[in-house]
Amino acid sequence: MVISLMRFIVIILLSLITLTQAYIVYADNESKGSNIDNKEIEKAVFAGGCFWCMQNPYDELKGVVSTTVGYTGGHVGNPTYEEVCAGNTGHAEAIEVLYNPSQISYAELLNVFWRNIDPTTLNRQFADVGTQYRTAIFYNSEEQKQSAESSKLEMERSGIYDDPIATEITPASTFYRAEDYHQKYYEKCPLKYKMYKSGSGREQYLEEMYGN
């Protein structure tokens, strides 16, 4: 009986030690994650028409920490999807990309942006028409602005497009997160997503222009 009791006490003590060690490791990891967020993670914001089609290309990239689709560039606070679609908020459907610049550069993010849009249409992307579907690069720093302008100039000189590039480069403003059902729509509703991307003409254009 005494031996069984001692074994029980030993087991309890070992369990407490294990839990304590696990907590220390967890806290250490949390601290490291917080340091990365504060010191290394940067933000990029792009508008490329329907935001459903802009999230998957960035989610696949090494160095991208997270992506969020939402609305930005307008004058209405906390807009709903319906309000933005009505075209009266001034907002564009957009994507916010958090990335680690030590693993992927802003220039690489810009390259992905160009290869997933038609930059020559003003206030339109494929079947979607209106200012809410304009293409835009919202820069968060002077360095991002210069990179965006250089990238745009490079695309203009590439000879890929028959028409002038209409994509705007503008300072970033408040980014409003879209409703949950829009986040990673390509995963939540893969069939509807594929039907939309093909039916809108985006898929065919990207394949023809860039071989996507």
Side-chain angles (χ1 to χ4, degrees), residues 21-190:
Q21 290 174 333
Y23 176 78
I24 291 172
V25 171
Y26 171 79
D28 184 55
N29 287 339
E30 286 293 293
S31 176
K32 290 178 181 177
S34 176
N35 289 337
I36 290 175
D37 289 342
N38 292 332
K39 296 180 180 179
E40 296 184 28
I41 303 305
E42 294 187 10
K43 182 190 302 181
V45 181
F46 307 107
C50 177
F51 48 27
W52 292 348
C53 297
M54 296 301 292
Q55 196 161 24
N56 186 34
Y58 285 106
D59 281 344
E60 296 177 338
L61 301 177
K62 181 181 179 181
V64 168
V65 177
S66 67
T67 62
T68 304
V69 296
Y71 320 109
T72 193
H75 55 268
V76 175
N78 297 308
T80 64
Y81 179 66
E82 291 73 21
E83 289 173 334
V84 173
C85 284
N88 299 318
T89 66
H91 288 295
E93 290 193 14
I95 181 168
E96 180 182 80
V97 181
L98 299 185
Y99 67 101
N100 187 332
S102 67
Q103 296 182 333
I104 188 169
S105 68
Y106 186 66
E108 289 175 290
L109 298 180
L110 286 168
N111 185 51
V112 172
F113 170 72
W114 295 119
R115 292 177 63 85
N116 281 278
I117 65 168
D118 175 1
T120 66
T121 53
L122 180 65
N123 297 328
R124 175 175 186 165
Q125 278 297 279
F126 311 103
D128 298 315
V129 181
T131 58
Q132 64 271 34
Y133 300 112
R134 66 189 183 272
T135 60
I137 300 169
F138 298 94
Y139 59 85
N140 291 285
S141 66
E142 186 62 27
E143 182 180 359
Q144 284 191 355
K145 179 184 179 181
Q146 293 176 5
S147 294
E149 290 176 341
S150 296
S151 180
K152 181 178 179 179
L153 184 60
E154 182 179 339
M155 296 304 291
E156 288 174 335
R157 292 175 173 174
S158 68
I160 297 175
Y161 310 107
D162 295 329
D163 299 313
I165 290 180
T167 301
E168 63 182 55
I169 298 174
T170 188
S173 56
T174 303
F175 182 91
Y176 298 96
R177 187 180 190 276
E179 296 81 349
D180 286 342
Y181 68 91
H182 289 300
Q183 305 300 327
K184 299 190 186 298
Y185 190 81
Y186 68 93
E187 290 183 346
K188 294 176 180 175
C189 305

Side-chain angles (χ1 to χ4, degrees), residues 6-16:
M6 290 296 293
R7 285 179 178 174
F8 177 75
I9 293 173
V10 169
I11 291 172
I12 293 297
L13 289 173
L14 289 174
S15 298
L16 289 173

